[in-house]
Amino acid sequence: MIRKRRDSDLDACVALLAEVHTHSGYPHHWPDDPARWLTPDGLTAAWVAETDGTVVGHVALCGHEVSRLCVAPAARGAGLGGRLLRTVETAAAARGLRPVLEVKATDTAAIGLYERLGWTRRATERQEWDGGEVVTVHRYEPAAARPAQ
């Protein structure tokens, strides 16, 4: 089930994020305040994927930017990442927005998901992150507007 995130979900979302970080290295640097990181400035809305009452996925929309997408390692392969991404696409379209997202060039699993779902790479750039670290990032957008579901 995909549903809007509630404040009461934040502890479960932080636990999910910790599991994903340990397994997959996302986010790149563990945030000082993970609940705050999951609730960035400009947050429009956030959703969770739930299986048997357990939060197993998360995604956020900040303006037109898709952000904070993650799925528990044990829940991968069931289509939850795609369902979360389609949910945020639909919400952005309802607001008259064309969503975009950025992904590290080394995050090949996420890139594979986005491209399987029809997202197209529109740009690649090098960004300087905290501490002067330079990271290559791809910018994606959906290839075409999807009908409301």
Side-chain angles (χ1 to χ4, degrees), residues 50-61:
E50 206 175 50
T51 302
D52 298 326
T54 301
V55 173
V56 294
H58 180 274
V59 69
L61 179 65

Side-chain angles (χ1 to χ4, degrees), residues 108-132:
T108 57
I111 290 168
L113 170 68
Y114 306 144
E115 291 180 355
R116 277 192 310 278
L117 294 174
W119 284 62
T120 304
R121 185 183 310 168
R122 296 294 183 203
T124 298
E125 65 181 26
R126 295 173 55 93
Q127 297 178 355
E128 186 172 322
W129 288 8
D130 292 337

Side-chain angles (χ1 to χ4, degrees), residues 22-100:
T22 298
H23 181 271
S24 309
Y26 176 80
H28 185 70
H29 294 290
W30 184 252
D32 292 333
D33 184 348
R36 174 80 178 103
W37 187 84
L38 287 165
T39 310
D41 293 337
L43 180 69
T44 304
W47 296 265
V48 295
E50 206 175 50
T51 302
D52 298 326
T54 301
V55 173
V56 294
H58 180 274
V59 69
L61 179 65
C62 298
H64 70 284
E65 182 116 13
V66 178
S67 185
R68 296 0 184 210
L69 175 61
C70 61
V71 173
R76 293 179 184 170
L80 293 175
R83 289 179 57 212
L84 284 163
L85 194 55
R86 284 188 295 278
T87 296
V88 80
E89 281 182 66
T90 300
R95 290 170 170 83
L97 303 172
R98 184 165 174 84
V100 297

